[in-house]
Amino acid sequence: MLSVLRNRTYRRLFTAQVVALSGTGLATVALGLLAYDIAGDDAGQVLGTALGIKMAAYVLIAPAIGAVADRLPRRTLMVGADLIRAAVALCLPFVGQVWQVYVLIFLLQSASAAFTPTFQAVIPDVLPKERDYTQALSLSRLAYDLESLFSPALAGLLLTVMTYNWLFTGTVLGFLGSAALVVAAVLPKPAPAPPRTGSVYAKATAGSRLFFQAPQLRALLALNLAVAAASAMVTVNSVVYARGVFGLSVGSLSLALGVYGAGSMAVALLLPRLLDRVSDRVVMLGGALLLVVAFAGLGVITAAASGGWRWPALLVTWAAFGAGGSMVLTPTGRLLRRSAPPEERTAAFAAQFSLSHACWLLTYPLAGWLGAAAGLGRAVAVLGGIVLGAALLAVRLWPAPGQVPAAGTQVVEHDHPDLAPDHPHLANTAVTEDRWRHRHRLVTDALHSRL
């Protein structure tokens, strides 16, 4: 997997991602302490609102950026977003009122909503070979999981020798380092953007409309909802299980979240080889079904009144949640890369970023409110029902090889720079230019059904 780091451009971009993630992790810890200093016992409410603002920024800003991203140099867009994030992080230690926190968080997350989809859309151009790109996706998943474990530990170590305000300095340095690495990377030229007509709204929703044109992307919408429901259950209610249900120490929460991350990392390590032998469809739908099984197990654990087996069983269930989520999320970039023409990739990645966070914006409050108002059993039943329904819908929407999609046909123009001229996918299609750009109806194309 590490062989992909021999590519100098990708190595710099991946390092930029890791550095920025580390800075973000430090800011997460510092922001919690800042909220407590400002709001005292209401810090939880402040952080909950800040999380809602973060998700709202992702949902609203990413499509707007997708509408103009192809008109701006990608390097300029990413570096500008990093500089805005660094400036906001520099201001955070000096705020003294809650509304100031909310404004700065909105600016910070808006910049992230501009940076992340653009960054994700660049990587397929840097690594045109399918195997290399798959390895890059797994490395990215590992980076996210390791950050969730490493950053809190680093923050705890730093807090022994400094106040939390200095953690924001680490965040600033992380974003500045990310910007410097992006500047140093030699980015490939993007595909020429086609002329666009229509209103600003039409341009902003172009990526989202792409999701409703291809069956595999419609299925991805359902899969996003399944992953969001499972992630919300773990993120919101882990502390309730560890402290409230089992009466364990504070360290048990770290153990539960660590096991969840370990399940995700294990799958990320295995997927590059697995995806050489099986299709994205099999892996991603299999991940959704694993989430269904995990919710069934969680229902049994929650319903049991006693038993020493429940805590180890919960840890196994959390690992299954992490593994199932990683099976869905890691190949998503491959799916988007194959389903959108190069000039539309940024819009497609922006739409995925926005739509997936819209699912989290729904499921995070739902997990908290249900757990508090109706009990954990009801929360498990409702969120598990959402996962089951989403998984079954994804299976229905994403046809198996040779199966005709129920929604009919659509014509998608795209290219395959890594396919030989005699590849069966290129048969019976009209080649319109170099690199085997062609148009065909997905309903008659068995290979695209396997994406």
Side-chain angles (χ1 to χ4, degrees):
M1 182 188 300
L2 296 180
S3 61
V4 72
L5 294 175
R6 294 172 186 165
N7 183 302
R8 180 180 298 179
T9 298
Y10 174 71
R11 183 170 65 248
R12 288 176 175 172
L13 291 175
F14 177 71
T15 305
Q17 179 190 22
V18 171
V19 169
L21 281 174
S22 299
T24 302
L26 293 178
T28 300
V29 176
L31 186 62
L33 297 172
L34 174 64
Y36 187 81
D37 269 1
I38 294 175
D41 291 339
D42 292 330
Q45 180 181 348
V46 172
L47 289 176
T49 303
L51 180 61
I53 290 173
K54 169 184 175 179
M55 295 300 174
Y58 285 172
V59 172
L60 297 174
I61 300 301
I65 295 299
V68 300
D70 57 359
R71 302 293 186 259
L72 299 173
R74 296 184 292 188
R75 188 196 311 276
T76 301
L77 186 57
M78 289 190 289
V79 171
D82 269 336
L83 293 179
I84 291 173
R85 295 194 291 183
V88 171
L90 190 61
C91 294
L92 279 170
F94 304 103
V95 303
Q97 298 184 37
V98 171
W99 70 267
Q100 296 171 338
V101 175
Y102 295 157
V103 171
L104 290 176
I105 289 299
F106 182 79
L107 292 175
L108 177 67
Q109 302 306 337
S110 295
S112 294
F115 179 91
T116 304
T118 307
F119 175 88
Q120 292 172 336
V122 167
I123 303 303
D125 293 336
V126 174
L127 300 172
K129 292 184 179 179
E130 180 98 333
R131 183 176 180 83
D132 290 342
Y133 183 53
T134 302
Q135 292 177 350
L137 291 174
S138 292
L139 278 176
S140 180
R141 184 78 251 155
L142 283 171
Y144 278 106
D145 291 332
L146 286 172
E147 182 275 325
S148 66
L149 298 175
F150 172 74
S151 292
L154 176 61
L157 180 64
L158 291 174
L159 286 172
T160 62
V161 295
M162 62 180 64
T163 63
Y164 72 83
N165 281 332
W166 287 101
L167 295 182
F168 289 117
T169 304
T171 303
V172 173
L173 294 176
F175 290 138
L176 291 178
S178 173
L181 287 163
V182 172
V183 168
V186 180
L187 302 183
K189 270 187 158 185
R196 286 189 183 181
T197 59
S199 64
V200 174
Y201 173 80
K203 295 177 182 179
T205 57
S208 299
R209 291 198 304 272
L210 182 65
F211 269 69
F212 294 96
Q213 294 173 359
Q216 65 270 19
L217 294 185
R218 291 197 295 271
L220 179 57
L221 291 175
L223 293 173
N224 284 334
L225 181 59
V227 172
S231 175
M233 193 69 207
V234 172
T235 304
V236 174
N237 289 318
S238 285
V239 66
V240 181
Y241 276 103
R243 301 285 287 160
V245 175
F246 298 111
L248 300 175
S249 66
V250 175
S252 62
L253 174 60
S254 298
L255 176 60
L257 295 177
V259 168
Y260 173 73
S264 178
M265 287 188 287
V267 167
L269 288 169
L270 295 173
L271 275 184
R273 291 186 179 181
L274 179 62
L275 289 171
D276 282 341
R277 297 190 293 272
V278 298
S279 68
D280 294 346
R281 179 183 185 272
V282 170
V283 171
M284 295 176 74
L285 294 181
L289 295 177
L290 177 57
L291 294 178
V292 173
V293 173
F295 261 107
L298 183 59
V300 173
I301 295 169
T302 306
S306 61
W309 58 272
R310 294 183 301 156
W311 174 244
L314 183 78
L315 296 180
V316 172
T317 303
W318 258 223
F321 276 135
S326 187
M327 289 172 68
V328 173
L329 294 177
T330 304
T332 295
R334 286 165 47 110
L335 192 65
L336 293 172
R337 177 186 184 228
R338 292 173 173 178
S339 302
E343 66 273 10
E344 298 290 343
R345 277 181 189 155
T346 301
F349 277 95
Q352 163 63 10
F353 189 81
S354 174
L355 294 169
S356 62
H357 283 88
C359 294
W360 286 326
L361 183 59
L362 168 68
T363 57
Y364 275 129
L366 186 62
W369 294 338
L370 279 174
L376 286 175
R378 187 67 59 84
V380 171
V382 172
L383 290 171
I386 290 174
V387 171
L388 176 60
L392 294 177
L393 181 60
V395 172
R396 171 66 178 149
L397 292 174
W398 197 342
Q403 182 180 349
V404 177
T409 67
Q410 70 277 355
V411 177
V412 176
E413 181 178 328
H414 55 287
D415 66 355
H416 286 286
D418 53 341
L419 295 186
D422 59 348
H423 193 280
H425 178 64
L426 302 178
N428 301 318
T429 63
V431 179
T432 59
E433 57 179 270
D434 293 340
R435 299 176 68 195
W436 311 108
R437 180 176 293 263
H438 56 292
R439 297 170 63 86
H440 64 100
R441 295 186 182 277
L442 292 183
V443 70
T444 61
D445 190 333
L447 279 175
H448 258 271
S449 297
R450 297 181 64 245
L451 290 180

